[in-house]
């Protein structure tokens, strides 16, 4: 690895998976316009009506099985393959499209929909099929304790120490397909910017955090992400010669 291949940290959000056919959260037609967040994305909602919450995530899990990674996920996997430095993807998405595109070094800060976690014993396991309140935990045998292993409102995101370390070490920060509304992820660009790190936004439209980005490209992820990766790798290759 060359001395000048600095770590790149990429934050992704629902917008990168939109063209694969997965709903975003706040856009027109987004998931949270159709469901109440308090009902399906809080621990209190789950305690109140576990059937509804399981149904919501079962639908999303089934939908995920029908979609594929798009050109933006694939471009990031290519960047990870062809760039000689480290490229860390911190995703707010609970889907597995970065992995299925061939990506690696992926941190799921809001959990993973293809995992279930037992609230009694704490074990987390892969789960592709539907979940329901009647299913006993395969580890401790208790019933009614399994939940999707995702981060709900009011809960702490996963892997924050690893993310902070990567954020503190990166020499380039990229944000793709996120509205910049949900913290702590929304605050990452300001932290990178404050350290003097170059910051790039690739999104359909300016996000809430657009004032912190030194460079921005607006358009669908399947166009702007591959184009940015091509240009970046080409420029990087030239600069090293
Ligand atoms: P978002 O819906 O808030 O924003 C999506 C962004 O993507 C928007 O800025 C939009 O302009 C952009 N976009 C839409 N289509 C695009 C395309 N084709 N190409 C490029 N950009 C496109 O989603 P977010 O920013 O990921 O939300 C942050 C996080 O908030 C979510 O990942 C989610 O984890 C969290 N959230 C969680 C819950 C929960 O259940 N815990 C509920 C709501 C939000």
């Amino acid at each position: 690895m060359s001395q000048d291949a600095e770590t790149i940290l990429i934050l992704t959000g629902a917008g990168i998976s939109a063209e694969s056919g997965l709903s975003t959260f706040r856009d027109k037609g987004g998931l949270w316009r159709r469901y109440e967040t308090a009902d399906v994305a809080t621990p209190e909602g789950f305690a109140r009506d576990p059937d509804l919450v399981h149904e919501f995530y079962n639908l999303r899990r089934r939908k995920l099985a029908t979609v594929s990674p798009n050109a933006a996920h694939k471009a990031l996997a290519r960047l990870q393959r062809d760039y000689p430095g480290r490229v860390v993807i911190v995703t707010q998405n609970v889907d597995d499209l970065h992995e299925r595109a061939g990506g690696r070094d992926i941190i799921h800060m809001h959990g993973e929909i293809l995992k279930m976690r037992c609230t009694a014993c704490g074990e987390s396991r892969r789960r592709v099929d539907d979940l329901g309140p009647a299913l006993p935990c395969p580890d401790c045998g208790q019933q009614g304790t399994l939940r999707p292993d995702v981060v709900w409102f009011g809960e702490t995101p996963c892997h924050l120490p690893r993310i902070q370390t990567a954020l503190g070490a990166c020499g380039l920060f990229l944000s793709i397909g996120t509205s910049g509304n949900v913290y702590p992820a929304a605050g990452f660009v300001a932290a990178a910017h404050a350290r003097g790190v170059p910051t790039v936004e690739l999104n359909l439209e300016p996000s809430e955090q657009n004032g912190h980005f030194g460079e921005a490209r607006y358009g669908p992820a399947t166009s702007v992400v591959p184009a940015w990766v091509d240009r970046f790798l080409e420029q990087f290759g030239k600069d090293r010669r």
Side-chain angles (χ1 to χ4, degrees):
M1 179 173 131
S2 96
Q3 289 292 318
D4 57 351
E6 296 196 82
T7 294
I8 302 174
L9 191 143
I10 304 176
L11 175 69
T12 66
I16 196 167
S17 297
E19 289 163 89
S20 289
L22 298 179
S23 288
T24 58
F25 296 95
R26 290 168 191 79
D27 300 307
K28 221 180 265 171
L31 284 173
W32 310 103
R33 301 252 174 130
R34 286 179 274 143
Y35 291 89
E36 285 299 326
T37 304
D39 291 339
V40 296
T42 63
E44 296 77 18
F46 185 54
R48 219 171 25 242
D49 192 346
D51 285 304
L52 175 77
V53 177
H54 280 306
E55 179 189 272
F56 174 70
Y57 287 94
N58 287 342
L59 288 173
R60 290 181 67 191
R61 211 178 286 109
R62 286 183 214 161
K63 175 76 184 171
L64 180 56
T66 69
V67 305
S68 305
N70 64 46
H73 300 105
K74 290 176 191 168
L76 295 188
R78 182 158 53 84
L79 178 66
Q80 289 187 311
R81 248 188 345 261
D82 294 350
Y83 179 68
R86 183 176 177 213
V87 180
V88 189
I89 298 175
V90 177
T91 188
Q92 300 167 85
N93 298 343
V94 296
D95 66 54
D96 64 344
L97 296 182
H98 283 303
E99 285 88 346
R100 281 200 259 151
R104 52 194 152 82
D105 213 349
I106 297 153
I107 302 177
H108 281 275
M109 67 179 293
H110 291 162
E112 294 174 69
I113 199 170
L114 294 182
K115 285 187 179 170
M116 62 182 183
R117 178 161 49 84
C118 176
T119 53
C121 72
E123 281 301 316
S124 172
R125 280 172 179 261
R126 185 168 164 84
R127 177 81 187 179
V128 175
D129 299 330
D130 284 359
L131 265 179
L135 196 72
C137 170
D139 291 288
C140 70
Q142 284 210 56
Q143 221 172 24
T145 55
L146 291 172
R147 58 165 279 183
D149 200 358
V150 300
V151 176
W152 285 328
F153 285 98
E155 297 182 323
T156 306
C158 314
H159 313 298
L160 286 180
R162 265 174 78 201
I163 295 170
Q164 288 303 339
T165 303
L167 193 58
C170 74
L172 175 61
F173 178 90
L174 220 73
S175 171
I176 303 173
T178 177
S179 59
N181 277 298
V182 172
Y183 286 84
F188 293 167
V189 61
H193 186 68
R195 277 204 306 115
V197 170
T199 52
V200 182
E201 167 158 270
L202 305 178
N203 205 35
L204 204 51
E205 58 194 15
S207 72
E208 288 293 314
Q209 306 299 326
N210 75 89
H212 296 293
F213 290 99
E215 183 191 337
R217 296 276 185 279
Y218 298 116
T222 55
S223 310
V224 293
V225 177
W228 187 89
V229 168
D230 286 346
R231 221 186 28 257
F232 175 80
L233 286 172
E234 191 188 324
Q235 191 58 48
F236 184 77
K238 276 188 193 149
D239 291 348
R240 290 181 85 198
R241 274 185 225 129

